[in-house]
Amino acid sequence: MTLLHDDTDSEKKACILATAERLFREIGYLKTTVADIARTLKMSPANIYRFFDSKKAIHEGVARRLMAEVEDAAEAIAAKPTPPRERLKELLATVSVMNAERFVGDAKIHEMVAIAMEESWDVCDAHIQRIVMAIGAVIADGAKSGVFNVKDVELAAKCVCAGMLRFFHPQMIEQSEKKPGPSLDQMIDFIIAGLTLGTPELSGSAPAGKAVHG
């Protein structure tokens, strides 16, 4: 049993989140109450509310912990000195695999993430932004070195993230698992080819929004 009498506030918050995550995995996101968390930690519910102003705040904190692990991994890969194509392949594959491991394989955690997505928690929006920025950093390096034919890096990163949705979004990963479609490697290769060849909008060779006929 974990006791929090002598811990600092930051340690107490971390312990509350770790306990909440464990209970979400054991009894489910919807069934877990603040009282359950407090009882496990031998605290009063009022003491829990000293650190989190609502039950939703605890849930968001747990989601933030799980998503931050994926973001940190993506940003670490983006900062590597490896060639841009190789780096982007590793980054996209890693995000997909980590999301599947964290949010799809565990039905009770998947329940939490599904509700977070439905309620449009700010933490989900922040997660997407960090992943897009990590992707953008690699694309920018590739564009600078001439590997990628891209002028609008921000748009390119958003397009890549949208193209990977089937492999990034926890619900879509689960729903698409047994449906026909490209494999993860095939999708990544397709995206890399698109960035290498470029498009009128991404490469700046035609005004955005203008139809290109071939």
Side-chain angles (χ1 to χ4, degrees), residues 123-140:
V123 68
C124 294
D125 294 336
H127 172 70
I128 293 168
Q129 184 60 29
R130 280 188 68 182
I131 296 298
V132 168
M133 289 178 67
I135 293 170
V138 181
I139 294 174

Side-chain angles (χ1 to χ4, degrees), residues 65-81:
R65 278 165 54 99
L66 292 169
M67 292 177 184
E69 293 172 355
V70 180
E71 295 158 8
D72 291 345
E75 289 168 354
I77 294 168
K80 286 184 174 182

Side-chain angles (χ1 to χ4, degrees), residues 49-209:
Y49 284 120
R50 284 183 51 226
F51 301 98
F52 297 93
D53 59 12
S54 66
K55 178 181 176 181
K56 181 181 176 182
I58 298 173
H59 297 160
E60 288 182 341
V62 172
R64 175 72 261 154
R65 278 165 54 99
L66 292 169
M67 292 177 184
E69 293 172 355
V70 180
E71 295 158 8
D72 291 345
E75 289 168 354
I77 294 168
K80 286 184 174 182
T82 51
R85 284 196 190 96
E86 178 184 324
R87 208 183 329 157
L88 188 57
K89 285 183 180 182
E90 182 183 1
L91 193 160
L92 298 179
T94 297
V95 171
S96 178
V97 170
M98 290 184 73
N99 280 348
E101 289 175 347
R102 280 156 180 72
F103 305 124
V104 179
D106 190 319
K108 292 184 173 65
I109 290 295
H110 179 73
E111 172 190 64
M112 181 194 76
V113 174
I115 293 173
M117 296 287 187
E118 290 170 7
E119 294 182 355
S120 298
W121 287 355
D122 290 343
V123 68
C124 294
D125 294 336
H127 172 70
I128 293 168
Q129 184 60 29
R130 280 188 68 182
I131 296 298
V132 168
M133 289 178 67
I135 293 170
V138 181
I139 294 174
D141 284 351
K144 185 177 180 181
S145 63
V147 172
F148 296 143
N149 186 16
V150 170
K151 294 283 191 249
D152 191 333
V153 171
E154 182 180 357
L155 175 60
K158 290 177 179 177
C159 287
V160 170
C161 203
M164 290 295 298
L165 200 57
R166 174 182 176 132
F167 301 96
F168 280 4
H169 193 297
Q171 289 173 294
M172 292 191 71
I173 293 173
E174 184 179 54
Q175 292 168 1
S176 303
E177 187 176 7
K178 296 182 180 179
K179 293 183 179 179
S183 68
L184 174 61
D185 288 341
Q186 288 170 337
M187 191 68 226
I188 293 174
D189 286 343
F190 184 83
I191 285 171
I192 297 292
L195 292 171
T196 302
L197 294 173
T199 68
E201 287 76 16
L202 294 181
S203 65
S205 59

